[in-house]
Amino acid sequence: MSNETLLSVKNLEVTFNTPKGDVHAVRGVSFDLGRERLGIVGESGSGKSQTGRAILGLTAANGKITADQLQFHDVDLANLSPKQWRKVRGARISMIMQDPKYSLNPVMTIGDQIIEAYREHHKVGAKEARRRALEMLEAVKIRDPERVFNAYPHEASGGMGQRVMIAMMLIPDPELIIADEPTSALDVTVQLQVMAILDDLVRDRGMALIFISHDLQLVSSFCDRVLVMYQGHVVEELRASELHNAKHPYTKGLLNCLPKMDGDHSDLPILEREASWAEG
Amino acid sequence: MIEISKLNAWFDDNHVLKDVDISVPTNGSFGLVGESGSGKSTVLRTITGLVDDWEGNILVNNKELGPKRDKTFYRLVQMVFQDPFGSLHPRHTIDRILTEPVNIHGLGNSDARVVEALNQVGLDNAFRFRYPHQLSGGQRQRVAIARALILEPKILLLDEPTSALDVSIQAEVLNLLGRLRRELGLTYVMVSHDLAVVAHMCDDIAIMNHGRIVERATATQLADGTLEHPYSQQLYKAAGGYDRAVVDSFVDWD
């Protein structure tokens, strides 16, 4: 892992203008990302997904992003025109969403969708694009790439759909992948298999990964570093291997309230929230 | 309380339950674990009468079930579904959602019953005249549990009752379910994909794969990790988090 900084986020704020007043979803999040795997963990409404979306400029129209710095290599992500965004999204930073059922185009074959992603950023002929797409399907461990290439998304299982998403997002060879709960809709064993594919590809290609999830335990077994978010703030940042030494009461509370396979049926500790955590 | 033997079920030509045997004592808590398509939810749906094409014997409270369930059955057995967004009527107030089963069964005194049911699940009376969309996921699941409890059943069928909830809220709902079982002497059959949730809640556990029970275990056996069937061992390892070497050892059970 090199120390070179790929992405630098300083004091990121995302605010949504709603009929009921402003909703402050992300409040002053800062982090630097090298070629590493960073986990962002939090519960619903903690701002973890909005942090990921803001980096890619995918915040909804009623949202406002401000940041002291939002620098990706030489690109200032805070002031990009739509045309400049198209050169970054997919090609240099791409995103894997939670549910392949909703993020794949239902009326286009899987092969055509992967080819579309590739040719958007690489000027190659149809034959070459097809060859690359089949190679990519093989890389995500799909056993019969030809069949899946010609299939429609509804013909694929959840795990296969998510592998297709990974293939599509990785084929333009981006430098940074943002994965927003990429495996939460999958069965545990399939979830781990998909993560292993992501793990290998990210490692082999030297990509950086931001892995957004609600599952603290899973993230820390997979990532190098973890940010724990609560109500828009990063309340704790720690090395994944140091999870058991977490200091913040919220992080500890999240770990303690998980049921364990210890044969103990007594009540689980309840997470008592304190107002001061949200002030940060 | 519940004795199921040689239960088979079909969806058209698809044989989804194969010779399932389950026995749950009164005030017991039985857990069914498995992945999507293993048939774990279908067992509950068959008991509660949502599956038409089945064969085998289901004895509930020493009474053999036929093809139809009558009202007395639903006084005894109630089900809580996974998704509190889908299982509560979006245009009915909590009060109406809870009153409806009372009226259907002609129990009377619905006002006091609604207040008591809300109280049992730890919801303030202020929630009574709200709509589901005004509640958080955890509060909604409490309402779904209150709706099941309002008929004073003896058996609750719980289909992934906490898998749509955040872990901190899951802990609260699991504690609530544990307390209700102790206080009201309820019998549970609980379905989950999460081995840890089932191990925490249940005394006896069955692991299902492709419509069959592949292994039975007690909570103590799960705690010791002494599972025998390779499929259950795989599930057990998968629950331990991401480990590259473990993933390579996985076998497809299709």
Side-chain angles (χ1 to χ4, degrees), chain A residues 115 118-119 122-135 149 171:
Chain A
I115 286 179
Y118 188 56
R119 293 182 82 184
H122 294 89
K123 283 204 166 55
V124 293
K127 251 199 182 140
E128 167 67 7
R130 186 189 148 84
R131 193 184 61 79
R132 287 289 317 235
L134 284 169
E135 254 176 39
F149 186 90
I171 198 167

Side-chain angles (χ1 to χ4, degrees), chain A residues 43-44 143 189 199-200 265, chain B residues 35 166 168 200 242 244 252:
Chain A
E43 296 192 294
S44 340
R143 263 180 253 149
T189 47
D199 187 8
D200 294 348
H265 293 327
Chain B
E35 298 192 295
D166 274 325
S168 59
H200 178 72
Y242 179 78
R244 193 67 188 79
D252 282 339

Side-chain angles (χ1 to χ4, degrees), chain A:
Chain A
M1 212 184 318
S2 73
N3 292 324
E4 162 210 16
T5 303
L6 210 65
L7 174 75
S8 176
V9 177
K10 291 220 160 49
N11 203 17
L12 174 71
E13 306 254 341
V14 181
T15 313
F16 290 96
N17 188 281
T18 73
K20 286 183 180 164
D22 282 356
V23 175
H24 217 145
V26 179
R27 306 164 188 238
V29 166
S30 305
F31 61 89
D32 287 321
L33 180 78
R35 295 197 182 275
E36 60 180 325
R37 286 170 295 174
L38 175 74
I40 302 184
V41 187
E43 296 192 294
S44 340
S46 61
K48 57 187 189 303
S49 292
Q50 288 306 333
T51 302
R53 298 182 77 92
I55 294 167
L56 254 185
L58 293 176
T59 305
N62 65 338
K64 206 174 118 246
I65 307 172
T66 60
D68 296 348
Q69 195 180 26
L70 207 54
Q71 189 79 23
F72 174 69
H73 277 307
D74 49 334
V75 188
D76 179 9
L77 298 177
N79 303 298
L80 288 186
S81 68
K83 198 176 163 200
Q84 288 168 315
W85 262 124
R86 281 199 293 276
K87 288 218 159 65
V88 174
R89 284 196 197 117
R92 304 189 66 187
I93 310 178
S94 70
M95 190 160 189
I96 301 169
M97 309 268 186
Q98 178 169 4
D99 198 335
K101 253 185 262 161
Y102 301 108
S103 38
L104 292 173
N105 184 343
V107 293
M108 210 170 157
T109 63
I110 285 168
D112 284 348
Q113 294 186 54
I114 299 177
I115 286 179
E116 187 187 40
Y118 188 56
R119 293 182 82 184
E120 182 70 30
H121 303 289
H122 294 89
K123 283 204 166 55
V124 293
K127 251 199 182 140
E128 167 67 7
R130 186 189 148 84
R131 193 184 61 79
R132 287 289 317 235
L134 284 169
E135 254 176 39
M136 202 62 218
L137 283 174
E138 238 179 275
V140 293
K141 310 240 162 82
I142 283 178
R143 263 180 253 149
D144 189 353
E146 286 278 353
R147 189 182 65 78
V148 175
F149 186 90
N150 293 313
Y152 285 91
H154 74 270
E155 297 170 285
S157 64
M160 197 186 288
Q162 206 53 298
R163 289 175 202 206
V164 169
M165 277 297 290
I166 293 175
M168 197 189 297
M169 292 303 134
L170 262 60
I171 198 167
D173 236 347
E175 292 155 82
L176 169 62
I177 305 265
I178 301 172
D180 188 359
E181 305 259 11
T183 58
S184 309
L186 308 175
D187 278 326
V188 266
T189 47
V190 183
Q191 176 174 41
L192 296 183
Q193 284 166 336
V194 169
M195 286 173 84
I197 291 167
L198 198 57
D199 187 8
D200 294 348
L201 290 173
V202 166
R203 206 181 292 266
D204 293 347
R205 294 164 184 234
M207 295 171 183
L209 175 73
I210 297 181
F211 193 95
I212 300 169
S213 169
H214 65 279
D215 193 332
L216 183 51
Q217 213 109 55
L218 185 72
V219 167
S220 52
S221 61
F222 183 69
C223 293
D224 306 311
R225 202 152 56 99
V226 182
L227 304 178
V228 182
M229 286 189 71
Y230 178 71
Q231 296 207 349
H233 296 282
V234 174
V235 294
E236 185 158 16
E237 177 185 338
L238 64 170
R239 312 254 7 128
S241 51
E242 293 291 302
L243 187 69
H244 52 280
N245 289 332
K247 290 203 174 59
H248 196 280
Y250 180 67
T251 318
K252 285 197 215 163
L254 275 185
L255 286 172
N256 288 337
C257 70
L258 289 170
K260 289 166 196 70
M261 280 188 258
D262 51 7
D264 181 6
H265 293 327
S266 54
D267 277 2
L268 297 163
I270 295 296
L271 182 63
E272 305 283 356
R273 293 172 172 76
E274 281 167 40
S276 61
W277 301 349
E279 284 153 17

Side-chain angles (χ1 to χ4, degrees), chain B residues 156-170:
Chain B
L156 282 192
L157 307 177
L158 304 160
D159 190 1
E160 304 255 16
T162 59
S163 62
L165 307 175
D166 274 325
V167 286
S168 59
I169 310 299
Q170 163 171 285

Side-chain angles (χ1 to χ4, degrees), chain B residues 89-129:
Chain B
H89 196 301
R91 294 179 59 145
H92 287 180
T93 61
I94 306 308
D95 183 65
R96 185 162 169 197
I97 288 169
L98 296 179
T99 307
E100 203 165 68
V102 179
N103 290 343
I104 288 172
H105 289 266
L107 301 183
N109 202 10
S110 63
D111 194 57
R113 284 178 194 270
V114 169
V115 173
E116 201 205 331
L118 282 176
N119 188 24
Q120 276 177 336
V121 296
L123 284 180
D124 201 275
N125 233 340
F127 289 99
R128 190 169 163 189
F129 296 102

